[in-house]
Amino acid sequence: MEKIRALYQKYRSVFWYLVCGGLTTLTNIAVFWLLYTAAGAPLQAANVAAWVLAIVVAFVGNKYLAFRSDKKGRLLAREAIVFLAMRLATLGFEALFLFLTIQRAGWAALPAKILDNAIVIVLNYVLSKAFVF
C-alpha cells in the first residue's frame, strides 16, 4: 500500500491531469459530434463550440485538481489568460489537423477528432506545466 501511495504522490498531478483530460476530451468529442454529425453544423463551428466548453472543464479541473493552484485576483487573471493563450495555440493545431484529415484526406470525422484529442492532450499538459500553473 505504501508503494501505491508513494507512486500516487509522485505522479499526482499527472493522474489528475489525465482524469481532467478525460472529462475534457469527452466534453470536446461529445459536443463536436452532437453539433457536426447530429445537428449538421459546419466543421469549424462545431469544433470551436466544443473547444470553448472543453476549455471551461479543463481550466477548472487543471487549476484545482491537477496543479492545485490557489492563485487569486490578478494572479488568477494572469493564469487564466496564459491558459487561454496556450489553448488557442492548440486550437490552431486542431483546426489545421481536422482540415487536413477530414476535408483534405477524407477521414471520418470521429476518428480524426479522437486522434486530434490524443495529440492535443499531450501538448496541453506540457504547455500547462511549463507556462500556466
Side-chain angles (χ1 to χ4, degrees):
M1 188 60 133
E2 281 303 312
K3 285 186 179 186
I4 293 172
R5 190 180 326 267
L7 279 173
Y8 173 76
Q9 290 304 321
K10 184 176 181 178
Y11 297 106
R12 184 192 175 289
S13 71
V14 173
F15 172 78
W16 284 108
Y17 181 81
L18 292 173
V19 169
C20 294
L23 292 172
T24 300
T25 300
L26 286 174
T27 301
N28 194 322
I29 291 170
V31 172
F32 174 79
W33 182 85
L34 285 170
L35 293 175
Y36 182 67
T37 305
L43 174 69
Q44 297 301 341
N47 188 51
V48 170
W51 178 83
V52 168
L53 286 166
I55 285 298
V56 172
V57 172
F59 183 76
V60 171
N62 288 334
K63 178 173 179 49
Y64 296 107
L65 295 173
F67 300 107
R68 293 175 136 183
S69 174
D70 60 356
K71 293 181 174 104
K72 293 176 175 44
R74 286 185 182 171
L75 293 175
L76 171 61
R78 181 207 172 275
E79 198 174 60
I81 290 166
V82 174
F83 183 84
L84 182 60
M86 296 298 107
R87 295 304 165 112
L88 282 168
T90 57
L91 176 63
F93 169 82
E94 280 192 62
L96 179 61
F97 185 86
L98 294 177
F99 172 75
L100 293 173
T101 56
I102 297 170
Q103 293 183 316
R104 290 290 182 226
W107 291 19
L110 199 54
K113 184 67 175 169
I114 290 169
L115 178 58
D116 166 65
N117 267 258
I119 296 166
V120 167
I121 285 171
V122 174
L123 289 172
N124 284 335
Y125 180 81
V126 170
L127 294 171
S128 290
K129 185 118 173 121
F131 301 108
V132 182
F133 303 106

